[in-house]
Amino acid sequence: MNHRKLAIITARGGSKRIPGKNIKEFCGKPILCYSVEAARDAAVFDEIMVSTDDKEIARIAEKAGAKVPFFRSAETSGDYASTDDVIMEVLKAYLDLGETFESFCCIYPTAPFLGGARLRNAMELLEEADSVMPVVPFSYPPQRGLIMNKDGFLARQYPEYATTRSQDLPKIYHDCGQFYACRTDAFFKAGTTDVEKLVPLVLTELEVQDIDTPEDWALAEIKYKLLQESKISL
């Protein structure tokens, strides 16, 4: 029976807001290396690969211990290709090579807070589900959010919750943007990791940081150093 597990690290070139983002040095080494090391430290994957269209990214990925068995197509290298598009291309390319995997974990290349224990936990959760997503609760209830109307004045997005106590509102979570673990058959059936049996892996704000701008990057380095100094296990 096939129980093989694949780690897919998505790292295309051509980042515009942060040039060279996926291999930019983060606290002493290319940020991509953290994702490769987390996958290796998890010790649950039969293969760790990087999906890229960039030769320099491929070189750094291989030096860190990942494989680059093929390069991305032009269709999945553009700004509008989704993560699901990339995963589908990778899994089909492996099928063409005669290789199949029972499950996979798609890891983002800018996830320095991610550790092997977290990935191992996710793959264990996958034994009782079809997909796993790391999430974090919104720090402020979105139901109490404000919008700016066409006249420039503030208005409540959901006025029905204007006087509802925060503790009485259901907690809402958002995607951490670190990884997605999924059973391969469920992914092929749905065409996405957002399948019906999707379970959460709840993280804290300290373990999560979007890295989309130079300001995000600076904040992420501060948080990472704090985690290291605190010796908090990820």
Side-chain angles (χ1 to χ4, degrees):
M1 190 173 181
N2 179 17
H3 292 294
R4 299 181 72 215
K5 298 175 177 63
L6 173 67
I8 305 168
I9 301 172
T10 58
R12 75 180 181 94
S15 175
K16 296 177 177 62
R17 286 180 290 187
I18 303 177
K21 173 181 175 180
N22 290 332
I23 51 175
K24 179 179 169 67
E25 186 173 294
F26 182 95
C27 291
K29 59 187 172 186
I31 195 167
L32 169 66
C33 294
Y34 292 90
S35 296
V36 176
E37 289 169 6
R40 291 172 57 193
D41 290 345
V44 295
F45 299 108
D46 296 278
E47 179 138 310
I48 301 168
M49 69 87 66
V50 170
S51 170
T52 188
D53 58 335
D54 186 278
K55 291 182 178 179
E56 180 61 11
I57 291 176
R59 184 189 70 78
I60 290 174
E62 290 175 335
K63 185 177 179 181
K67 293 183 179 180
V68 185
F70 40 78
F71 280 83
R72 284 196 196 185
S73 66
E75 289 74 22
T76 58
S77 298
D79 293 337
Y80 298 102
S82 68
T83 299
D84 288 331
D85 293 334
V86 175
I87 294 170
M88 186 66 75
E89 180 177 76
V90 167
L91 293 176
K92 287 183 175 179
Y94 271 109
L95 281 175
D96 290 341
L97 294 173
E99 296 194 56
T100 60
F101 299 89
E102 179 190 46
S103 58
F104 65 85
C105 186
C106 179
I107 305 168
Y108 284 166
T110 52
F113 302 111
L114 183 59
R118 187 77 69 219
L119 290 174
R120 191 162 53 250
N121 187 10
M123 299 309 286
E124 290 170 356
L125 287 172
L126 200 57
E127 294 177 7
E128 303 297 330
D130 285 339
S131 191
V132 179
M133 179 189 293
V135 296
V136 64
F138 281 96
S139 58
Y140 184 84
Q143 302 96 321
R144 300 285 294 276
L146 301 169
I147 59 172
M148 192 176 296
N149 63 26
K150 62 181 180 180
D151 298 315
F153 297 117
L154 288 174
R156 293 194 177 275
Q157 175 70 29
Y158 305 105
E160 64 270 30
Y161 297 119
T163 59
T164 305
R165 299 187 311 164
S166 296
Q167 58 265 43
D168 294 331
L169 294 169
K171 188 167 289 188
I172 297 179
Y173 300 82
H174 65 86
D175 180 0
C176 291
Q178 291 185 348
F179 68 88
Y180 307 101
C182 193
R183 290 182 176 273
T184 305
D185 56 356
F187 177 81
F188 275 132
K189 183 178 179 180
T192 178
T193 57
D194 284 358
V195 299
E196 185 176 349
K197 294 182 179 179
L198 172 63
V199 298
L201 183 58
V202 182
L203 307 185
T204 67
E205 283 285 350
L206 191 59
E207 302 168 84
V208 177
Q209 176 63 47
D210 282 337
I211 305 180
D212 294 322
T213 66
E215 292 78 15
D216 290 340
W217 191 283
L219 181 57
E221 288 194 310
I222 292 170
K223 291 174 73 171
Y224 181 81
K225 291 173 183 175
L226 176 62
L227 285 167
Q228 295 300 301
E229 292 168 2
S230 303
K231 293 183 169 54
I232 297 174
S233 177
L234 298 179

